[in-house]
Amino acid sequence: MGRVNYNNSILRYICRNAESRRSTVQITAAETMDVGRKIKMENTAAKHHMSTAQMTVTALMTAITCILAPMALPIPVSPVPISLTNLVIFFMAYILGTKLSVASYVLYLLLGTVGLPVFSGFSGGVGKLLGPTGGYLIGFIFLAAIAGFFVEKFPTKIYMHVIGMILGMAVCYAFGTAWLAGQLGMSFVAGLGVGVIPYLPGDTAKIIIAIIAIEVTVIGATATRTVVTIVEVTVIALGATATAATA
């Protein structure tokens, strides 16, 4: 009889111990799930915060474009004025990247299309977008996408940034010149003489300014690296300008 009571005591002890462990496991699992939910909520909040910051910077760059783009300088040999729009887009490529640069510039286009005086010469409206220089306005979308892509893809290679800017401008020029030539009833080559060649020195200077500004203010380059960068950018940009001029 004592043997049976002893065995029953052991069984009760084992059952209580097992029940205690089961409760501990359940509590631990519940705590783990709770921690997981908290981490997920924190990550979601962080993504939302980052998204808000990106939207703020994108809107700020759109505002800067609206301020600088209308400050255009007409030249007598062409209906296309000298503007700072592409310079702003060069900075966009570094600050926003590909997608947000395109989004910021498209927002600028929409603001100008609905009538705000944000296009060159403080003009706006659908007529400006569909006029002879409208192809260049639309072509800047390609510049934002291509320059932004090269900056994102090759973040530490300045010469690749320059190549991206030059390729972006080339696509913009090709699209804009075809549009201009069609509007004015001239050949594509004649369109290049009117809408591209006069602007190559200025665009070269804008690329150099953008690269140097980013190097000094964002990357924090030393004096030696800045000088080397100036030389590299100047050689590449002038080479591209000379090639385009003789083509």
Side-chain angles (χ1 to χ4, degrees):
M1 187 70 179
R3 181 69 176 176
V4 171
N5 291 335
Y6 176 74
N7 290 339
N8 288 338
S9 298
I10 293 176
L11 287 172
R12 283 195 298 272
Y13 173 78
I14 292 173
C15 289
R16 284 197 302 270
N17 192 38
E19 186 67 27
S20 176
R21 290 182 179 179
R22 189 180 302 112
S23 299
T24 302
V25 170
Q26 290 175 349
I27 292 172
T28 303
E31 290 177 346
T32 302
M33 292 176 64
D34 186 55
V35 171
R37 283 193 295 268
K38 289 181 179 179
I39 292 174
K40 186 175 180 179
M41 290 174 63
E42 289 174 357
N43 288 339
T44 302
K47 289 180 180 179
H48 178 70
H49 177 71
M50 183 181 299
S51 193
T52 302
Q54 288 177 335
M55 286 190 293
T56 302
V57 177
T58 302
L60 178 61
M61 291 307 298
T62 301
I64 292 174
T65 308
C66 290
I67 293 171
L68 295 181
M71 299 179 184
L73 178 65
I75 59 176
V77 297
S78 172
V80 184
I82 297 174
S83 75
L84 298 175
T85 307
N86 50 355
L87 178 61
V88 177
I89 293 175
F90 294 152
F91 285 117
M92 277 185 190
Y94 283 100
I95 297 170
L96 300 178
T98 308
K99 294 180 180 179
L100 293 181
S101 291
V102 172
S104 178
Y105 183 74
V106 169
L107 178 57
Y108 158 77
L109 275 186
L110 291 175
L111 292 174
T113 303
V114 299
L116 292 182
V118 295
F119 292 152
S120 60
F122 296 93
S123 59
V126 179
K128 180 71 172 181
L129 189 63
L130 298 180
T133 61
Y136 297 105
L137 287 172
I138 298 172
F140 282 136
I141 297 175
F142 301 111
L143 172 60
I146 296 171
F149 172 79
F150 272 77
V151 170
E152 284 185 339
K153 189 72 173 177
F154 310 99
T156 60
K157 297 180 179 179
I158 298 300
Y159 69 93
M160 293 301 294
H161 303 171
V162 177
I163 291 174
M165 292 175 184
I166 292 173
L167 287 177
M169 285 303 305
V171 175
C172 174
Y173 276 148
F175 186 86
T177 301
W179 185 295
L180 177 70
Q183 291 270 353
L184 300 182
M186 61 175 62
S187 67
F188 184 81
V189 174
L192 288 176
V194 172
V196 176
I197 303 301
Y199 306 92
L200 293 178
D203 289 339
T204 301
K206 292 172 189 174
I207 292 175
I208 295 173
I209 290 170
I211 294 294
I212 292 174
I214 292 297
E215 277 281 296
V216 173
T217 61
V218 177
I219 302 177
T222 62
T224 302
R225 178 172 169 75
T226 301
V227 172
V228 171
T229 301
I230 294 172
V231 174
E232 289 178 347
V233 173
T234 303
V235 170
I236 294 173
L238 289 178
T241 301
T243 301
T246 57

